[in-house]
Amino acid sequence: MGIERIYKVLMATGIAALDDGVKTLEQCNVIATANDRNAIYDKIEENRPQIVITSDWLEGEDSVTELLLDLKRQYNYVRFIYLAGQLDPRDQGRIDELGRLVLSGIYDICISKNVNLEVIDNLIKNPKQEAAVSFLAKNILNSASPAEFVKDDEILSGLSDAGKMIKGTMDNVYVFTSIKPGTGKSFLSVNTACAIAAYGKVKDSGEKPKVALIEADLQTLSIGTILDIKEDKKKNMKSAMEAISTIFDKGNMIGDDNSVMLVNKVIHECMQPYNKIENLHVLTGSTLTPEEIDSLKITPEYYIYLLDIIRKEYDIVIIDTNSSMFHITTYPILQKAYRCYYILNLDINNIRNNLRYYGTLKKLGLVEKIRWILNENIENKKNAKENGTNIEKLEFTADEFEEQYFKLSVKVPSVPKAVFLNRLYNGTPVVLDQGIEYTKEVKLALMELANQVWDVSETLEVEKHAKKRERVIWRIFLIKTKRGEAKKGKDQEEQEKG
C-alpha cells in the first residue's frame, strides 16, 4: 500500500464549528485558522498550506471572490475551496463572479445551502475538474453584448500604463491572442520575438536580449512550423509538461527540492534554439497529435509553473496563446502577463465580435493591459493590386475604425500571399528581410510592435530613414522623368514648327 497523503489545510470560513470539525477529518492537518479576510495573506505566508477553505461568512468588507482572484494570482500552487452558498440562477452578477474564479483555475466551488463535513472531506480528497463548473464561466461571454462597449480613449489608445503592476504579474511576459483563430497572432508573436532577438538593444552587460517564445495554443501549435524548427521528440512541450506533472497532484505542488530541480532542468533543455538567431529559444509542440495533447491533462498550474521558471532565465517571454477565453490556460496566462496583444482584422464580423468581447474583457478586469493590433491592414492605394483596391475602393478602413471606435496600437500591412508562403516554407519571418522593397512597410510595422516590448529603436530609425531616402529618390526620379518628357515634347513641338 502507498503512503497515505496528509493535506495541509488553512481554514478561513468564519464558522468556528466548521473549522474545528475539519480538524477531525482523516488525512487533514489543519495548520492554521484565519479569522478575517485580510489575515489570510499572512497565514499563507507563515504556514504554506496546500489548501485554503473559505466562505462569505469570514469577517471583512472586501469581496471574497475578488480576494480569491488576488490570492490565486499570488499563490499559484495553493488550491482554494470556496463554500459559495446557494446560487440564485437569476443573479447574473453572482454567476459572473463565480465564472471569473473558474477561468482563473479555481474549480472547487461548492454551491449549496447546506455544507457538512462529508462534502468538505470529498472536496479535499477529490478536487473538481473544470468541466464540473464550466457552465459558470460560459455565462460571462454569453451575457456580454456590444452595448457594453464604452469608448475609453485613455485605456484603449494604447497609452495607458500597463505598469500598474498587481502582485503576481510577471513583468517580462507578453501574450499574443485573438478572439478567433486565423487573425495572425502566431505570425505576429513569431515576428515580434525575432525582431527583439535580432535587433533589440543590448543589455548593460553587452549581451543581446535573451528571448523565449512559447506555444500555448494547443489547438494549432504552429510556431515550430513557422520557424522551421526540427522538433526533438524528447525536448518539446510534451516533455516539459510531463515533467511538471510529476511535482503536482490534484492541484497541489508536492515535489521536493530534488524533484523540482530535475523538472526545471528538463524545462530548460526543452527550449530549442532558432537556428537563425542564437538568442531566441522556442518551446514547440508542432508535431504533437491531439491525442498526445489530451493525454497531458494540462492544468492552469502547469503553464504558470512553466512561465515562472522560464521568465527568470529570459529577458522577454512571448506567448502565443489559445483564442478561446474558456481554454483551460487562457485566463490564468492573461492574468499573469504584463501586456496582452489582441489581434483583429478588417473583417466586419471580426470587428463586431471584438467590440462584443470588450464587455467580457472588462468584466474580467483585463482591459488596462490590452493593446489592439490590426493585422492585414489594407489601404486604398491604386497600386495595391494584390488587395484589389485598384479595382474597388475599400469602404471600411483602419481610419474609419479608429474614428468610430478607438486608436489601434499598431497597423500591420497585408503580406502578399506568395511572400507569406515563401517565408513560411523557408522558416524565415518577414521581419528578418534585408533590403527587400515590397516587404519594407510590413517590416517597419512589425518593428514598431516589437519596440513596445523591448527597445529596437536604433534599427527602426535606420529602416525609417532608408524608407524616406527611397521615397525622396523615387520622387526625384519622377520629377526628372516628367521634366524630361516635357522637354522632349517641347523640342518635338519646335521641330514641327521649324
Side-chain angles (χ1 to χ4, degrees):
M1 292 180 63
I3 298 173
E4 191 175 69
R5 182 175 173 190
I6 303 298
Y7 297 89
K8 295 167 61 179
V9 181
L10 168 62
M11 295 302 298
T13 66
I15 308 170
L18 187 61
D19 291 350
D20 291 337
V22 174
K23 294 177 183 178
T24 67
L25 297 176
E26 293 183 2
Q27 298 177 246
C28 289
N29 177 18
V30 177
I31 55 177
T33 301
N35 297 317
D36 66 74
R37 299 177 191 188
N38 290 330
I40 294 180
Y41 293 92
D42 290 337
K43 293 292 184 180
I44 292 177
E45 287 290 341
E46 292 169 8
N47 299 281
R48 298 294 174 180
Q50 295 172 319
I51 299 171
V52 174
I53 302 177
T54 190
S55 80
D56 290 321
W57 287 96
L58 188 64
E59 290 185 12
E61 297 181 358
D62 295 337
S63 161
V64 171
T65 51
E66 291 299 325
L67 172 68
L68 284 168
L69 287 168
D70 188 49
L71 287 168
K72 188 63 177 176
R73 280 191 295 265
Q74 294 189 51
Y75 305 104
N76 304 306
Y77 314 126
V78 174
R79 182 154 64 90
F80 294 92
I81 296 176
Y82 178 34
L83 309 180
Q86 195 169 19
L87 178 63
D88 182 350
R90 295 167 297 181
D91 189 346
Q92 188 60 54
R94 178 61 170 166
I95 293 172
D96 286 347
E97 284 182 356
L98 299 179
R100 288 183 67 191
L101 296 181
V102 174
L103 290 175
S104 69
I106 298 175
Y107 306 143
D108 293 306
I109 303 171
C110 182
I111 301 172
S112 176
K113 183 177 181 180
N114 300 309
V115 178
N116 55 40
L117 290 178
E118 184 180 354
V119 170
I120 293 178
D121 188 43
N122 185 57
L123 279 172
I124 290 172
K125 298 167 185 174
N126 301 288
K128 287 186 179 183
Q129 300 299 309
E130 190 265 349
V133 285
S134 62
F135 70 96
L136 295 168
K138 288 177 181 176
N139 274 285
I140 292 179
L141 181 58
N142 294 337
S143 64
S145 66
E148 291 180 87
F149 171 76
V150 179
K151 187 172 181 178
D152 188 330
D153 291 329
E154 181 182 353
I155 291 177
L156 297 174
S157 67
L159 299 177
S160 68
D161 182 15
K164 295 174 182 176
M165 297 280 287
I166 57 174
K167 289 183 178 179
T169 299
M170 298 177 177
D171 62 0
N172 61 339
V173 173
Y174 294 77
V175 170
F176 283 74
T177 188
S178 61
I179 68 166
K180 76 176 187 69
T183 53
K185 62 184 177 59
S186 296
F187 168 79
L188 294 177
S189 62
V190 166
N191 275 277
T192 301
C194 286
I196 294 168
Y199 313 120
K201 182 179 179 180
V202 297
K203 298 180 288 183
D204 292 340
S205 63
E207 297 176 329
K208 293 181 178 180
K210 196 173 179 183
V211 182
L213 179 59
I214 300 174
E215 285 192 300
D217 186 348
L218 303 182
Q219 291 179 323
T220 58
L221 296 169
S222 57
I223 285 176
T225 301
I226 293 174
L227 293 175
D228 192 29
I229 292 176
K230 302 299 186 286
E231 193 169 306
D232 186 330
K233 288 287 187 180
K234 295 181 180 180
K235 296 179 180 179
N236 59 15
M237 187 183 68
K238 182 173 183 288
S239 300
M241 289 299 169
E242 284 177 340
I244 293 170
S245 72
T246 64
I247 57 173
F248 281 88
D249 179 56
K250 296 182 179 180
N252 296 126
M253 189 174 174
I254 59 171
D256 57 25
D257 291 344
N258 286 333
S259 58
V260 166
M261 184 174 65
L262 289 172
V263 168
N264 295 350
K265 184 174 182 291
V266 170
I267 291 172
H268 290 308
E269 289 176 347
C270 287
M271 298 298 295
Q272 297 295 294
Y274 175 45
N275 61 9
K276 294 180 174 64
I277 310 175
E278 62 181 7
N279 52 316
L280 172 61
H281 292 174
V282 187
L283 181 61
T284 68
S286 302
T287 63
L288 300 181
T289 66
E291 291 75 20
E292 286 177 312
I293 294 297
D294 187 57
S295 70
L296 295 174
K297 304 299 179 186
I298 293 172
T299 69
E301 290 80 14
Y302 289 13
Y303 256 106
I304 298 304
Y305 184 85
L306 176 77
L307 292 179
D308 209 22
I309 298 305
I310 290 176
R311 74 184 181 92
K312 295 171 184 175
E313 185 72 18
Y314 292 84
D315 298 297
I316 293 294
V317 180
I318 291 176
I319 308 170
D320 178 31
T321 193
N322 196 276
S323 295
S324 172
M325 182 63 75
F326 302 117
H327 187 273
I328 197 168
T329 62
T330 302
Y331 185 53
I333 290 176
L334 293 178
Q335 280 188 308
K336 302 298 286 188
Y338 176 76
R339 187 172 295 158
C340 310
Y341 287 103
Y342 263 82
I343 318 304
L344 51 80
N345 54 36
L346 288 173
D347 178 341
I348 193 63
N349 288 321
N350 181 252
I351 289 171
R352 286 171 179 165
N353 286 333
N354 270 279
L355 296 178
R356 178 173 179 263
Y357 208 64
Y358 173 81
T360 299
L361 295 173
K362 191 171 184 179
K363 284 183 179 181
L364 296 175
L366 294 172
V367 170
E368 285 196 359
K369 63 169 68 177
I370 300 293
R371 299 291 181 272
W372 305 84
I373 308 295
L374 178 64
N375 191 35
E376 300 178 303
N377 184 35
I378 298 173
E379 297 180 356
N380 282 311
K381 295 179 179 179
K382 291 183 179 180
N383 60 344
K385 294 182 180 181
E386 70 275 9
N387 294 320
T389 52
N390 60 316
I391 57 174
E392 190 167 310
K393 183 181 178 181
L394 186 66
E395 294 183 19
F396 187 79
T397 66
D399 290 339
E400 276 75 28
F401 177 91
E402 291 188 307
E403 184 177 337
Q404 293 183 35
Y405 302 116
F406 52 82
K407 183 175 174 59
L408 296 157
S409 189
V410 176
K411 291 172 277 190
V412 181
S414 177
V415 179
K417 192 69 174 179
V419 174
F420 175 79
L421 292 174
N422 286 340
R423 299 299 179 277
L424 185 64
Y425 179 75
N426 294 316
T428 307
V430 173
V431 78
L432 298 182
D433 281 1
Q434 299 295 330
I436 299 179
E437 174 62 31
Y438 48 83
T439 61
K440 280 193 173 178
E441 286 189 13
V442 177
K443 182 177 178 179
L444 276 174
L446 293 169
M447 292 286 289
E448 287 175 359
L449 174 55
N451 198 48
Q452 294 183 15
V453 179
W454 185 275
D455 187 353
V456 297
S457 57
E458 185 175 335
T459 304
L460 180 58
E461 288 304 312
V462 170
E463 295 282 346
K464 283 181 177 179
H465 288 312
K467 187 71 178 174
K468 287 178 182 178
R469 283 197 300 272
E470 287 169 7
R471 286 175 180 168
V472 170
I473 292 170
W474 178 247
R475 285 173 185 165
I476 292 172
F477 172 76
L478 289 176
I479 291 170
K480 286 183 176 180
T481 301
K482 287 180 181 178
R483 285 176 179 174
E485 288 175 353
K487 186 175 184 302
K488 184 178 179 182
K490 188 175 181 181
D491 292 344
Q492 191 172 352
E493 264 184 47
E494 289 178 355
Q495 286 177 2
E496 288 174 355
K497 286 179 182 180

